[in-house]
Amino acid sequence: LSTKEVKGNTYVYCYRNESEDANGTAEISGTLQNGKVLPRQKCLSRKDTDLAAALQRKHFIKKCLPLLRTNHGAMELFRNTYKPLDLTEIYESMKAAYRIVPMKVGLLDAEPLVEDDFITWMEEPFKSNELYPESLLHITLGGRKVRSKSEVIIAGTLEASGLPFRYEAALNLPQQTYYPDFTILRPKDRKIFYWEHFGMMNDEGYEAGAARKLFDYRKNGILPWRNLITTYDDESGAIDVQTIHSIVNAFLLDA
């Protein structure tokens, strides 16, 4: 395809090297210059939209092919040489002298795991929510019983990340005792985070209770994204697992 400007108007042309006569025999068409046949140009009209689109697509594909060939070679090289990073395997291959102090594999930039801070904190007894034990129907990979499938996903993400947390531990405020879904000890700075997941916000009574809880939290210095994480099911009751992973990485691991 090419364009020409004629009296301020732009016209689109295509080059044609061959044409067919009435009998369907192909013959070269064009003008003769220095013994060579120059291709004839045809001005495309609106009825030639399909032809223009086909030529456009052909040109586009031809420009893509060199990069696709290069990328294909790069992917073949990657496939043949890539080895996954297994942090546990690397840690276990270290000399014993480098494994005297327990290390939280997966948090390479965090301080070494300190038993008094994390393990003791997780193992010490705490008051948990004793209401409606019959609704603790779902079990996480770590063996914890929780009340919803969304909480299974959140708890599983925390477990997989190695984050110390408690499920429905009592939070005593001046006017009320609450049981946040998750109470988390952030490894990097030993800061406590609370995580509330609201899964029934289409229920007016549930929504009103959630609003009162968040209001009390704010009055007592528990503020969203400072030391409080809140997540929600969507209108159909689904949860976005990628969002949960992003929150854990941004606020509890990399912060």
mmCIF file of all heavy atoms in Angstrom, residues 60-92:
data_model
loop_
_atom_site.group_PDB
_atom_site.id
_atom_site.type_symbol
_atom_site.label_atom_id
_atom_site.label_comp_id
_atom_site.label_asym_id
_atom_site.label_seq_id
_atom_site.Cartn_x
_atom_site.Cartn_y
_atom_site.Cartn_z
ATOM 1 N N PHE A 60 1.434 -6.374 8.401
ATOM 2 C CA PHE A 60 1.582 -6.458 9.856
ATOM 3 C C PHE A 60 2.249 -7.775 10.273
ATOM 4 O O PHE A 60 3.165 -7.810 11.094
ATOM 5 C CB PHE A 60 0.195 -6.331 10.510
ATOM 6 C CG PHE A 60 0.209 -6.437 12.004
ATOM 7 C CD1 PHE A 60 0.550 -5.353 12.807
ATOM 8 C CD2 PHE A 60 -0.118 -7.634 12.645
ATOM 9 C CE1 PHE A 60 0.565 -5.450 14.185
ATOM 10 C CE2 PHE A 60 -0.107 -7.745 14.016
ATOM 11 C CZ PHE A 60 0.235 -6.639 14.786
ATOM 12 N N ILE A 61 1.788 -8.878 9.672
ATOM 13 C CA ILE A 61 2.354 -10.198 10.005
ATOM 14 C C ILE A 61 3.821 -10.274 9.600
ATOM 15 O O ILE A 61 4.660 -10.807 10.330
ATOM 16 C CB ILE A 61 1.539 -11.312 9.319
ATOM 17 C CG1 ILE A 61 0.135 -11.389 9.940
ATOM 18 C CG2 ILE A 61 2.242 -12.658 9.429
ATOM 19 C CD1 ILE A 61 -0.805 -12.333 9.233
ATOM 20 N N LYS A 62 4.169 -9.721 8.430
ATOM 21 C CA LYS A 62 5.555 -9.738 7.975
ATOM 22 C C LYS A 62 6.465 -8.977 8.930
ATOM 23 O O LYS A 62 7.619 -9.359 9.151
ATOM 24 C CB LYS A 62 5.656 -9.157 6.561
ATOM 25 C CG LYS A 62 5.083 -10.069 5.482
ATOM 26 C CD LYS A 62 5.122 -9.402 4.113
ATOM 27 C CE LYS A 62 6.555 -9.224 3.630
ATOM 28 N NZ LYS A 62 6.580 -8.667 2.245
ATOM 29 N N LYS A 63 5.956 -7.895 9.519
ATOM 30 C CA LYS A 63 6.760 -7.134 10.478
ATOM 31 C C LYS A 63 6.857 -7.855 11.823
ATOM 32 O O LYS A 63 7.825 -7.670 12.568
ATOM 33 C CB LYS A 63 6.171 -5.730 10.676
ATOM 34 C CG LYS A 63 6.296 -4.840 9.451
ATOM 35 C CD LYS A 63 5.793 -3.433 9.732
ATOM 36 C CE LYS A 63 6.763 -2.661 10.629
ATOM 37 N NZ LYS A 63 8.051 -2.383 9.992
ATOM 38 N N CYS A 64 5.850 -8.692 12.155
ATOM 39 C CA CYS A 64 5.878 -9.442 13.414
ATOM 40 C C CYS A 64 6.840 -10.630 13.361
ATOM 41 O O CYS A 64 7.443 -11.002 14.379
ATOM 42 C CB CYS A 64 4.483 -9.965 13.756
ATOM 43 S SG CYS A 64 3.307 -8.695 14.247
ATOM 44 N N LEU A 65 6.972 -11.239 12.193
ATOM 45 C CA LEU A 65 7.689 -12.509 12.077
ATOM 46 C C LEU A 65 9.134 -12.454 12.591
ATOM 47 O O LEU A 65 9.565 -13.361 13.320
ATOM 48 C CB LEU A 65 7.646 -13.005 10.630
ATOM 49 C CG LEU A 65 6.320 -13.622 10.192
ATOM 50 C CD1 LEU A 65 6.351 -13.964 8.702
ATOM 51 C CD2 LEU A 65 6.020 -14.885 11.001
ATOM 52 N N PRO A 66 9.935 -11.429 12.251
ATOM 53 C CA PRO A 66 11.318 -11.433 12.764
ATOM 54 C C PRO A 66 11.390 -11.456 14.291
ATOM 55 O O PRO A 66 12.203 -12.188 14.866
ATOM 56 C CB PRO A 66 11.903 -10.135 12.189
ATOM 57 C CG PRO A 66 11.079 -9.848 10.981
ATOM 58 C CD PRO A 66 9.705 -10.298 11.319
ATOM 59 N N LEU A 67 10.524 -10.661 14.947
ATOM 60 C CA LEU A 67 10.536 -10.647 16.411
ATOM 61 C C LEU A 67 10.047 -11.971 16.977
ATOM 62 O O LEU A 67 10.589 -12.479 17.963
ATOM 63 C CB LEU A 67 9.666 -9.500 16.928
ATOM 64 C CG LEU A 67 9.591 -9.334 18.449
ATOM 65 C CD1 LEU A 67 10.986 -9.113 19.038
ATOM 66 C CD2 LEU A 67 8.675 -8.179 18.818
ATOM 67 N N LEU A 68 9.025 -12.562 16.342
ATOM 68 C CA LEU A 68 8.523 -13.852 16.803
ATOM 69 C C LEU A 68 9.602 -14.928 16.690
ATOM 70 O O LEU A 68 9.751 -15.767 17.577
ATOM 71 C CB LEU A 68 7.289 -14.255 16.006
ATOM 72 C CG LEU A 68 6.014 -13.455 16.278
ATOM 73 C CD1 LEU A 68 4.926 -13.824 15.285
ATOM 74 C CD2 LEU A 68 5.535 -13.681 17.699
ATOM 75 N N ARG A 69 10.362 -14.897 15.590
ATOM 76 C CA ARG A 69 11.444 -15.875 15.433
ATOM 77 C C ARG A 69 12.512 -15.681 16.512
ATOM 78 O O ARG A 69 13.023 -16.649 17.091
ATOM 79 C CB ARG A 69 12.055 -15.747 14.041
ATOM 80 C CG ARG A 69 11.115 -16.153 12.908
ATOM 81 C CD ARG A 69 11.866 -16.243 11.584
ATOM 82 N NE ARG A 69 10.943 -16.575 10.491
ATOM 83 C CZ ARG A 69 10.474 -15.679 9.638
ATOM 84 N NH1 ARG A 69 10.845 -14.411 9.738
ATOM 85 N NH2 ARG A 69 9.649 -16.054 8.669
ATOM 86 N N THR A 70 12.845 -14.408 16.775
ATOM 87 C CA THR A 70 13.831 -14.129 17.827
ATOM 88 C C THR A 70 13.330 -14.595 19.184
ATOM 89 O O THR A 70 14.062 -15.236 19.955
ATOM 90 C CB THR A 70 14.139 -12.625 17.876
ATOM 91 O OG1 THR A 70 14.672 -12.212 16.618
ATOM 92 C CG2 THR A 70 15.148 -12.310 18.971
ATOM 93 N N ASN A 71 12.061 -14.294 19.501
ATOM 94 C CA ASN A 71 11.497 -14.688 20.790
ATOM 95 C C ASN A 71 11.399 -16.203 20.927
ATOM 96 O O ASN A 71 11.583 -16.758 22.014
ATOM 97 C CB ASN A 71 10.116 -14.065 20.982
ATOM 98 C CG ASN A 71 10.192 -12.576 21.238
ATOM 99 O OD1 ASN A 71 11.269 -12.053 21.543
ATOM 100 N ND2 ASN A 71 9.075 -11.890 21.124
ATOM 101 N N HIS A 72 11.096 -16.868 19.820
ATOM 102 C CA HIS A 72 11.013 -18.331 19.855
ATOM 103 C C HIS A 72 12.373 -18.924 20.218
ATOM 104 O O HIS A 72 12.476 -19.843 21.040
ATOM 105 C CB HIS A 72 10.542 -18.869 18.506
ATOM 106 C CG HIS A 72 10.440 -20.359 18.457
ATOM 107 N ND1 HIS A 72 11.460 -21.166 17.979
ATOM 108 C CD2 HIS A 72 9.448 -21.205 18.849
ATOM 109 C CE1 HIS A 72 11.103 -22.420 18.068
ATOM 110 N NE2 HIS A 72 9.878 -22.481 18.587
ATOM 111 N N GLY A 73 13.435 -18.377 19.618
ATOM 112 C CA GLY A 73 14.766 -18.852 19.967
ATOM 113 C C GLY A 73 15.115 -18.579 21.410
ATOM 114 O O GLY A 73 15.718 -19.421 22.094
ATOM 115 N N ALA A 74 14.706 -17.388 21.889
ATOM 116 C CA ALA A 74 14.986 -17.049 23.293
ATOM 117 C C ALA A 74 14.238 -17.977 24.242
ATOM 118 O O ALA A 74 14.774 -18.409 25.271
ATOM 119 C CB ALA A 74 14.600 -15.595 23.560
ATOM 120 N N MET A 75 12.991 -18.315 23.902
ATOM 121 C CA MET A 75 12.211 -19.208 24.758
ATOM 122 C C MET A 75 12.787 -20.618 24.761
ATOM 123 O O MET A 75 12.786 -21.297 25.794
ATOM 124 C CB MET A 75 10.746 -19.221 24.308
ATOM 125 C CG MET A 75 9.989 -17.954 24.676
ATOM 126 S SD MET A 75 8.206 -18.059 24.383
ATOM 127 C CE MET A 75 8.182 -18.061 22.589
ATOM 128 N N GLU A 76 13.274 -21.052 23.611
ATOM 129 C CA GLU A 76 13.910 -22.369 23.554
ATOM 130 C C GLU A 76 15.148 -22.398 24.442
ATOM 131 O O GLU A 76 15.390 -23.374 25.165
ATOM 132 C CB GLU A 76 14.276 -22.703 22.107
ATOM 133 C CG GLU A 76 13.107 -23.141 21.249
ATOM 134 C CD GLU A 76 12.508 -24.452 21.745
ATOM 135 O OE1 GLU A 76 13.249 -25.431 21.927
ATOM 136 O OE2 GLU A 76 11.274 -24.482 21.980
ATOM 137 N N LEU A 77 15.943 -21.314 24.395
ATOM 138 C CA LEU A 77 17.127 -21.231 25.240
ATOM 139 C C LEU A 77 16.736 -21.225 26.711
ATOM 140 O O LEU A 77 17.340 -21.915 27.543
ATOM 141 C CB LEU A 77 17.924 -19.970 24.894
ATOM 142 C CG LEU A 77 19.178 -19.702 25.737
ATOM 143 C CD1 LEU A 77 20.187 -20.824 25.547
ATOM 144 C CD2 LEU A 77 19.794 -18.359 25.362
ATOM 145 N N PHE A 78 15.682 -20.451 27.040
ATOM 146 C CA PHE A 78 15.207 -20.376 28.421
ATOM 147 C C PHE A 78 14.720 -21.749 28.886
ATOM 148 O O PHE A 78 15.044 -22.202 29.986
ATOM 149 C CB PHE A 78 14.086 -19.354 28.524
ATOM 150 C CG PHE A 78 13.442 -19.289 29.880
ATOM 151 C CD1 PHE A 78 14.024 -18.594 30.916
ATOM 152 C CD2 PHE A 78 12.231 -19.943 30.119
ATOM 153 C CE1 PHE A 78 13.429 -18.536 32.166
ATOM 154 C CE2 PHE A 78 11.632 -19.900 31.360
ATOM 155 C CZ PHE A 78 12.237 -19.178 32.384
ATOM 156 N N ARG A 79 13.953 -22.433 28.048
ATOM 157 C CA ARG A 79 13.401 -23.739 28.419
ATOM 158 C C ARG A 79 14.506 -24.754 28.688
ATOM 159 O O ARG A 79 14.389 -25.605 29.569
ATOM 160 C CB ARG A 79 12.466 -24.238 27.312
ATOM 161 C CG ARG A 79 11.749 -25.538 27.632
ATOM 162 C CD ARG A 79 10.775 -25.886 26.536
ATOM 163 N NE ARG A 79 11.436 -26.179 25.281
ATOM 164 C CZ ARG A 79 11.898 -27.387 24.956
ATOM 165 N NH1 ARG A 79 11.775 -28.396 25.803
ATOM 166 N NH2 ARG A 79 12.477 -27.587 23.796
ATOM 167 N N ASN A 80 15.577 -24.642 27.929
ATOM 168 C CA ASN A 80 16.662 -25.616 28.070
ATOM 169 C C ASN A 80 17.618 -25.308 29.217
ATOM 170 O O ASN A 80 18.366 -26.188 29.653
ATOM 171 C CB ASN A 80 17.454 -25.695 26.751
ATOM 172 C CG ASN A 80 16.632 -26.272 25.614
ATOM 173 O OD1 ASN A 80 15.750 -27.098 25.833
ATOM 174 N ND2 ASN A 80 16.899 -25.825 24.400
ATOM 175 N N THR A 81 17.618 -24.061 29.690
ATOM 176 C CA THR A 81 18.602 -23.675 30.714
ATOM 177 C C THR A 81 17.973 -23.270 32.042
ATOM 178 O O THR A 81 18.677 -23.205 33.051
ATOM 179 C CB THR A 81 19.473 -22.511 30.210
ATOM 180 O OG1 THR A 81 18.630 -21.379 29.901
ATOM 181 C CG2 THR A 81 20.248 -22.917 28.960
ATOM 182 N N TYR A 82 16.657 -22.986 32.085
ATOM 183 C CA TYR A 82 16.033 -22.472 33.312
ATOM 184 C C TYR A 82 15.995 -23.536 34.406
ATOM 185 O O TYR A 82 15.676 -24.700 34.166
ATOM 186 C CB TYR A 82 14.606 -22.009 33.014
ATOM 187 C CG TYR A 82 13.836 -21.627 34.255
ATOM 188 C CD1 TYR A 82 14.069 -20.424 34.909
ATOM 189 C CD2 TYR A 82 12.875 -22.487 34.795
ATOM 190 C CE1 TYR A 82 13.366 -20.076 36.050
ATOM 191 C CE2 TYR A 82 12.170 -22.147 35.933
ATOM 192 C CZ TYR A 82 12.424 -20.932 36.555
ATOM 193 O OH TYR A 82 11.737 -20.604 37.691
ATOM 194 N N LYS A 83 16.322 -23.112 35.611
ATOM 195 C CA LYS A 83 16.191 -23.953 36.798
ATOM 196 C C LYS A 83 15.445 -23.151 37.860
ATOM 197 O O LYS A 83 15.820 -22.032 38.175
ATOM 198 C CB LYS A 83 17.568 -24.371 37.326
ATOM 199 C CG LYS A 83 18.338 -25.296 36.394
ATOM 200 C CD LYS A 83 19.666 -25.726 37.010
ATOM 201 C CE LYS A 83 20.424 -26.675 36.078
ATOM 202 N NZ LYS A 83 21.729 -27.095 36.662
ATOM 203 N N PRO A 84 14.362 -23.700 38.412
ATOM 204 C CA PRO A 84 13.587 -22.953 39.408
ATOM 205 C C PRO A 84 14.399 -22.685 40.663
ATOM 206 O O PRO A 84 15.270 -23.464 41.047
ATOM 207 C CB PRO A 84 12.396 -23.885 39.702
ATOM 208 C CG PRO A 84 12.871 -25.241 39.310
ATOM 209 C CD PRO A 84 13.823 -25.042 38.159
ATOM 210 N N LEU A 85 14.085 -21.545 41.306
ATOM 211 C CA LEU A 85 14.749 -21.163 42.547
ATOM 212 C C LEU A 85 14.022 -21.815 43.716
ATOM 213 O O LEU A 85 12.917 -21.414 44.078
ATOM 214 C CB LEU A 85 14.751 -19.638 42.701
ATOM 215 C CG LEU A 85 15.343 -19.077 43.993
ATOM 216 C CD1 LEU A 85 16.827 -19.415 44.094
ATOM 217 C CD2 LEU A 85 15.135 -17.572 44.070
ATOM 218 N N ASP A 86 14.624 -22.832 44.305
ATOM 219 C CA ASP A 86 14.063 -23.533 45.454
ATOM 220 C C ASP A 86 14.784 -23.034 46.696
ATOM 221 O O ASP A 86 15.897 -23.457 47.019
ATOM 222 C CB ASP A 86 14.236 -25.039 45.292
ATOM 223 C CG ASP A 86 13.475 -25.833 46.347
ATOM 224 O OD1 ASP A 86 13.380 -25.339 47.492
ATOM 225 O OD2 ASP A 86 12.989 -26.922 46.040
ATOM 226 N N LEU A 87 14.144 -22.097 47.423
ATOM 227 C CA LEU A 87 14.801 -21.469 48.573
ATOM 228 C C LEU A 87 15.106 -22.486 49.669
ATOM 229 O O LEU A 87 16.160 -22.418 50.317
ATOM 230 C CB LEU A 87 13.917 -20.344 49.119
ATOM 231 C CG LEU A 87 13.638 -19.191 48.151
ATOM 232 C CD1 LEU A 87 12.732 -18.163 48.812
ATOM 233 C CD2 LEU A 87 14.926 -18.544 47.696
ATOM 234 N N THR A 88 14.192 -23.422 49.885
ATOM 235 C CA THR A 88 14.414 -24.431 50.921
ATOM 236 C C THR A 88 15.615 -25.304 50.571
ATOM 237 O O THR A 88 16.453 -25.609 51.434
ATOM 238 C CB THR A 88 13.158 -25.305 51.089
ATOM 239 O OG1 THR A 88 12.052 -24.471 51.439
ATOM 240 C CG2 THR A 88 13.369 -26.356 52.165
ATOM 241 N N GLU A 89 15.701 -25.696 49.304
ATOM 242 C CA GLU A 89 16.823 -26.533 48.873
ATOM 243 C C GLU A 89 18.148 -25.794 49.054
ATOM 244 O O GLU A 89 19.146 -26.369 49.508
ATOM 245 C CB GLU A 89 16.637 -26.930 47.414
ATOM 246 C CG GLU A 89 17.738 -27.818 46.869
ATOM 247 C CD GLU A 89 17.513 -28.210 45.418
ATOM 248 O OE1 GLU A 89 16.378 -28.051 44.937
ATOM 249 O OE2 GLU A 89 18.483 -28.660 44.777
ATOM 250 N N ILE A 90 18.168 -24.507 48.713
ATOM 251 C CA ILE A 90 19.397 -23.719 48.870
ATOM 252 C C ILE A 90 19.757 -23.581 50.346
ATOM 253 O O ILE A 90 20.925 -23.730 50.733
ATOM 254 C CB ILE A 90 19.222 -22.336 48.216
ATOM 255 C CG1 ILE A 90 19.120 -22.500 46.698
ATOM 256 C CG2 ILE A 90 20.379 -21.411 48.576
ATOM 257 C CD1 ILE A 90 18.811 -21.224 45.966
ATOM 258 N N TYR A 91 18.746 -23.325 51.178
ATOM 259 C CA TYR A 91 19.008 -23.176 52.617
ATOM 260 C C TYR A 91 19.587 -24.469 53.193
ATOM 261 O O TYR A 91 20.552 -24.449 53.959
ATOM 262 C CB TYR A 91 17.720 -22.801 53.331
ATOM 263 C CG TYR A 91 17.847 -22.723 54.841
ATOM 264 C CD1 TYR A 91 18.485 -21.650 55.446
ATOM 265 C CD2 TYR A 91 17.333 -23.738 55.653
ATOM 266 C CE1 TYR A 91 18.614 -21.580 56.824
ATOM 267 C CE2 TYR A 91 17.457 -23.674 57.026
ATOM 268 C CZ TYR A 91 18.097 -22.593 57.606
ATOM 269 O OH TYR A 91 18.225 -22.527 58.973
ATOM 270 N N GLU A 92 19.012 -25.600 52.804
ATOM 271 C CA GLU A 92 19.473 -26.881 53.341
ATOM 272 C C GLU A 92 20.852 -27.270 52.823
ATOM 273 O O GLU A 92 21.547 -28.109 53.423
ATOM 274 C CB GLU A 92 18.459 -27.979 53.012
ATOM 275 C CG GLU A 92 17.139 -27.805 53.759
ATOM 276 C CD GLU A 92 16.103 -28.838 53.374
ATOM 277 O OE1 GLU A 92 16.349 -29.565 52.376
ATOM 278 O OE2 GLU A 92 15.052 -28.915 54.041
#
